[in-house]
């Protein structure tokens, strides 16, 4: 079976490609490399010992997509491609709506035109906005507080409308919680450009000496130690969720909306301690003001994923930290070869 993986060179896509290859699928990665390196695919091929067909192109360009659907009989699409930085989405809303929403429209049009109607879509726990309680179930109210989140909400609605218009579509919406970690080989991992927005890469870069300290955004939340609590999930567990979704997709007779999380919440300081233990490195931190838009607690009720997909996360916080550290320490500059100076552009670093 041929699986088209949009955004397959990125963080979650590259890890998913390994499991797809291991499961015997033919993998075609389609990526514009706006936030990824071709090196990630080379390393995935090495890990899996199998080749990937890589096509450079943009999901907003119908002709790029038509070439693939004309050349291969695609059985299903896993759709990771999109922009994901919350802060950037506030500054560049049109770019986010264009990439994420317009891109998904063009992709679905191309799929329909070529008789491919099975899609697994990367949604996010961000669609729950500020949840009234935890753990979060799939039927909780939805809202968005920024253009990135709104783009995910719109796409979910759009895909539901598509199914109503034509129930031949097979659609799985996977709502990821906080993906972290890396493949156990330490050869692929998350490689954010510039200053990381997310906690785990920031901790890892601090441990390796690229950042002077971590700013902990708020210590006065209503949580066990006052810092924000999240459901961190190992990226390989997440990847496995996609393979399970693909195995079941043809049997679904409705749009499936599924949380992918562990059901456990860890605070920022829990993560700092776990990372220090896993890496043997000190992670200096300073308490900073709350980050605008952050919520106190967010963790999943993952029981529906277990019931429907037979999936559950198996990797611990220890493994998440150990695997992140192996990737970070083996590749201090990610996939890039050049040496990046220490935190010279980080406004949170005191250079005096
Ligand atoms: P990523 O940026 O590493 O991967 C996205 C990939 O899509 C990149 O390789 C990028 O080059 C590519 N891409 C972007 N726009 C494109 C376009 N117009 N055409 C073709 N390719 C394009 O991000 P990721 O962390 O792997 O996330 C994958 C998906 O999961 C995204 O849709 C993201 O919104 C979603 N998601 C991520 C997280 C997270 O915290 N990482 C959480 C929830 C949901
Ligand atoms: C986690 C915790 C921060 C950085 C974001 C997106 C969400 C989803 C996942 C895509 C919070 C704290 C962070 C730092 C800190 N992405 N923190 N210092 O905000 O839960 O979710 O990524 O869909 O949409 O919003 O993840 O890793 O940014 O933050 O103290 O330098 O770490 O306040 O409590 P978040 P995160």
């Amino acid at each position: 079976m041929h699986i088209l993986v949009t955004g397959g060179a990125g963080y979650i896509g590259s890890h998913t490609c390994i499991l797809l290859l291991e499961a015997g699928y033919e993998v075609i990665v389609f990526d514009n490399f706006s936030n990824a390196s071709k090196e990630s695919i080379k390393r995935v091929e090495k890990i899996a010992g199998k080749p990937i067909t890589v096509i450079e192109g943009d999901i907003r360009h119908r002709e790029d997509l038509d070439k693939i659907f004309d050349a291969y009989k695609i059985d299903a699409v896993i759709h990771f491609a999109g922009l994901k930085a919350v802060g950037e989405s506030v500054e560049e809303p049109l770019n986010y709506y264009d990439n994420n929403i317009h891109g998904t429209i063009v992709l679905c049009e191309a799929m329909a035109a070529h008789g491919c109607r099975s899609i697994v879509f990367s949604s996010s726990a961000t669609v729950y906005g500020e949840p009234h309680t935890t753990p979060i179930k799939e039927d909780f109210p939805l809202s968005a507080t920024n253009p990135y989140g709104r783009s995910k909400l719109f796409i979910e609605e759009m895909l539901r409308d598509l199914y109503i218009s034509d129930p031949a579509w097979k659609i799985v919406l996977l709502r990821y919680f906080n993906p972290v970690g890396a493949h156990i080989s330490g050869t692929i991992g998350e490689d954010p450009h510039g200053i990381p927005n997310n906690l785990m890469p920031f901790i890892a870069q601090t441990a390796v000496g690229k950042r002077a300290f971590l700013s902990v955004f708020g210590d006065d939340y209503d949580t066990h130690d006052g810092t924000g609590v999240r459901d961190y999930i190992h990226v390989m567990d997440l990847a496995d969720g996609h393979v399970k979704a693909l195995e079941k997709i043809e049997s679904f007779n409705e749009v499936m909306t599924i949380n992918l999380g562990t059901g456990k919440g860890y605070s920022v300081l829990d993560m700092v301690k776990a990372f220090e233990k896993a890496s043997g490195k000190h992670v200096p931190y300073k308490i900073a003001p709350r980050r605008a838009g952050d919520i106190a607690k967010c963790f999943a009720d993952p029981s529906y994923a277990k019931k429907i997909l037979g999936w559950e996360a198996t990797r611990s916080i220890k493994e998440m930290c150990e695997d992140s550290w192996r990737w970070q320490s083996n590749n201090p500059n990610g996939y890039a070869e050049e040496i990046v100076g220490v935190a010279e552009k980080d406004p949170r670093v005191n250079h005096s």
Side-chain angles (χ1 to χ4, degrees):
M1 282 177 82
H2 287 83
I3 310 300
L4 178 65
V5 185
T6 74
Y11 173 45
I12 305 169
S14 56
H15 289 80
T16 303
C17 285
I18 295 173
L19 295 191
L20 289 172
L21 290 170
E22 287 176 1
Y25 293 104
E26 302 285 334
V27 176
I28 299 160
V29 163
F30 182 74
D31 202 300
N32 67 359
F33 295 97
S34 60
N35 195 36
S37 157
K38 290 181 183 151
E39 180 62 23
S40 70
I41 297 294
K42 286 189 198 146
R43 297 189 188 183
V44 167
E45 289 176 318
K46 201 167 170 195
I47 292 167
K50 290 182 182 171
I52 289 179
T53 303
V54 184
I55 296 164
E56 187 163 353
D58 195 298
I59 51 167
R60 293 165 294 180
H61 299 159
R62 177 67 189 268
E63 60 282 9
D64 290 352
L65 290 165
D66 281 340
K67 275 187 209 149
I68 304 175
F69 284 101
D70 287 339
Y72 303 90
K73 196 206 152 293
I74 306 290
D75 296 285
V77 175
I78 305 186
H79 178 30
F80 293 107
L83 302 179
K84 64 164 181 177
V86 171
E88 188 181 65
S89 81
V90 175
E91 286 157 23
E92 303 170 15
L94 300 183
N95 193 21
Y96 272 67
Y97 291 134
D98 184 41
N99 253 280
N100 296 3
I101 300 178
H102 175 210
T104 303
I105 293 172
V106 177
L107 173 66
C108 291
E109 285 172 345
M111 289 174 68
H114 293 84
C116 174
R117 289 185 178 78
S118 298
I119 183 168
V120 178
F121 172 64
S122 301
S123 189
S124 166
T126 194
V127 299
Y128 295 113
E130 195 156 347
H132 55 284
T133 185
T134 43
I136 301 170
K137 287 168 109 60
E138 286 82 354
D139 61 0
F140 272 29
L142 305 178
S143 68
T145 52
N146 56 70
Y148 167 71
R150 240 177 313 279
S151 76
K152 293 291 175 190
L153 267 183
F154 285 161
I155 295 168
E156 284 200 1
E157 292 301 329
M158 204 169 76
L159 292 174
R160 287 193 192 95
D161 286 338
L162 191 57
Y163 177 78
I164 292 168
S165 76
D166 179 0
W169 278 89
K170 303 284 179 185
I171 299 171
V172 183
L173 311 174
L174 297 178
R175 292 181 179 155
Y176 316 153
F177 280 67
N178 288 59
V180 297
H183 185 261
I184 194 166
S185 64
T187 60
I188 64 165
E190 188 172 8
D191 183 19
H193 290 162
I195 303 166
N197 299 307
N198 295 115
L199 179 66
M200 193 63 150
F202 206 102
I203 290 180
Q205 290 194 7
T206 307
V208 87
K210 281 181 78 174
R211 310 277 159 208
F213 63 88
L214 168 75
S215 295
V216 175
F217 298 143
D219 66 348
D220 56 353
Y221 285 106
D222 182 18
T223 62
H224 62 272
D225 62 13
T227 66
V229 165
R230 297 290 183 276
D231 186 337
Y232 296 95
I233 174 166
H234 197 294
V235 66
M236 291 305 292
D237 279 332
L238 203 58
D240 184 41
H242 291 75
V243 178
K244 295 270 191 327
L246 213 50
E247 283 167 2
K248 297 262 160 106
I249 196 164
E250 291 308 316
S251 69
F252 296 143
N253 291 317
E254 58 182 304
V255 174
M256 303 304 289
T257 306
I258 303 174
N259 284 342
L260 293 184
T262 65
K264 297 188 187 87
Y266 289 93
S267 73
V268 176
L269 294 182
D270 290 337
M271 295 305 285
V272 169
K273 278 179 220 139
F275 203 92
E276 286 185 327
K277 205 167 170 194
S279 65
K281 297 283 177 189
H282 180 48
V283 177
Y285 68 84
K286 293 184 185 175
I287 304 299
R290 289 182 179 195
R291 185 171 65 179
D294 273 356
I295 54 176
K297 269 190 227 165
C298 176
F299 58 94
D301 177 339
S303 53
Y304 192 59
K306 188 168 183 189
K307 183 174 164 211
I308 296 297
L309 301 179
W311 173 91
E312 64 185 325
T314 60
R315 292 165 178 86
S316 64
I317 280 291
K318 181 170 175 276
E319 287 166 283
M320 298 181 209
C321 293
E322 283 172 357
D323 294 344
S324 280
W325 176 243
R326 195 172 300 108
W327 155 251
Q328 181 68 63
S329 52
N330 288 347
N331 305 270
N333 301 305
Y335 295 112
E337 281 170 21
E338 74 274 19
I339 304 298
V340 180
V342 177
E344 68 281 351
K345 282 170 72 184
D346 186 342
R348 291 173 289 197
V349 173
N350 181 355
H351 296 285
S352 59

